[in-house]
Amino acid sequence: MKKLIIVLLTLIAVGFQNCKKEKENFTYCTGCPIFSWVGYYSGTGTYFTANTGETVDNIEVNINIENTYDSNLVIHVEAPNYISESFSKSKTDDKYYILIGSGARTLDLGLKRSGNQYRLNGTLKKNSWNKVDSTWTVVQSLTFQVDKKSP
């Protein structure tokens, strides 16, 4: 009976070892052409609103990036029921990041790649001008990680 238990435990242990998730090896996409950015991405993020001080984790985030003309990208960011914004940016370099806006709306994106898979990490912020200390104050923010689902 002891041998049977030992054999079963060994089989279970070996089975779990084979179920280990492969390590993802995403690296920043330096040198990637503009079409690498284009596509539909989905994943999760964290939403913050200063009005209530509420932070909500693991919300759905969808991003669609279109190449409308030459080097022009149109980027739609949406977290349903929380925040939605669109941006346009000319991208003429091969850097792994995009920084858009200043002041009232900003979007920072970083593109990573592992083989033929792409991932975006980023932050969307809506800000309000604080007249008292002459600075921008974050009113809403969305930090996210999304994976490319289709070109």
Side-chain angles (χ1 to χ4, degrees), residues 78-89:
E78 180 185 28
N81 301 317
Y82 292 98
I83 191 170
S84 179
E85 289 290 325
S86 294
F87 296 85
S88 182
K89 171 79 173 176

Side-chain angles (χ1 to χ4, degrees), residues 34-81:
I34 193 168
F35 66 82
S36 301
W37 291 83
V38 175
Y40 174 76
Y41 298 77
S42 67
T44 60
T46 299
Y47 172 78
F48 168 77
T49 178
N51 293 340
T52 62
E54 177 184 25
T55 299
V56 184
D57 295 320
N58 296 315
I59 62 169
E60 174 188 356
V61 178
N62 300 302
I63 297 178
N64 192 42
I65 301 179
E66 303 170 65
N67 181 212
T68 56
Y69 180 76
D70 282 338
S71 60
N72 191 53
L73 295 176
V74 175
I75 304 166
H76 307 280
V77 179
E78 180 185 28
N81 301 317

Side-chain angles (χ1 to χ4, degrees), residues 3-131:
K3 287 183 182 180
L4 179 61
I5 292 173
I6 292 172
V7 170
L8 286 174
L9 291 175
T10 304
L11 288 174
I12 291 171
V14 170
F16 279 122
Q17 286 179 343
N18 291 334
C19 291
K20 286 184 181 177
K21 185 177 182 180
E22 288 185 31
K23 182 180 177 186
E24 295 176 337
N25 190 22
F26 282 89
T27 57
Y28 286 109
C29 200
T30 304
C32 289
I34 193 168
F35 66 82
S36 301
W37 291 83
V38 175
Y40 174 76
Y41 298 77
S42 67
T44 60
T46 299
Y47 172 78
F48 168 77
T49 178
N51 293 340
T52 62
E54 177 184 25
T55 299
V56 184
D57 295 320
N58 296 315
I59 62 169
E60 174 188 356
V61 178
N62 300 302
I63 297 178
N64 192 42
I65 301 179
E66 303 170 65
N67 181 212
T68 56
Y69 180 76
D70 282 338
S71 60
N72 191 53
L73 295 176
V74 175
I75 304 166
H76 307 280
V77 179
E78 180 185 28
N81 301 317
Y82 292 98
I83 191 170
S84 179
E85 289 290 325
S86 294
F87 296 85
S88 182
K89 171 79 173 176
S90 177
K91 179 132 178 74
T92 57
D93 60 34
D94 61 358
K95 295 179 180 168
Y96 68 88
Y97 59 88
I98 294 177
L99 307 174
I100 303 175
S102 62
R105 299 179 326 141
T106 63
L107 177 64
D108 302 335
L109 296 174
L111 182 65
K112 292 183 174 185
R113 180 175 73 183
S114 177
N116 62 354
Q117 297 175 324
Y118 292 90
R119 173 173 288 166
L120 287 175
N121 294 313
T123 303
L124 165 64
K125 292 180 184 174
K126 284 186 169 182
N127 306 304
S128 176
W129 183 251
N130 184 330
K131 293 178 184 178

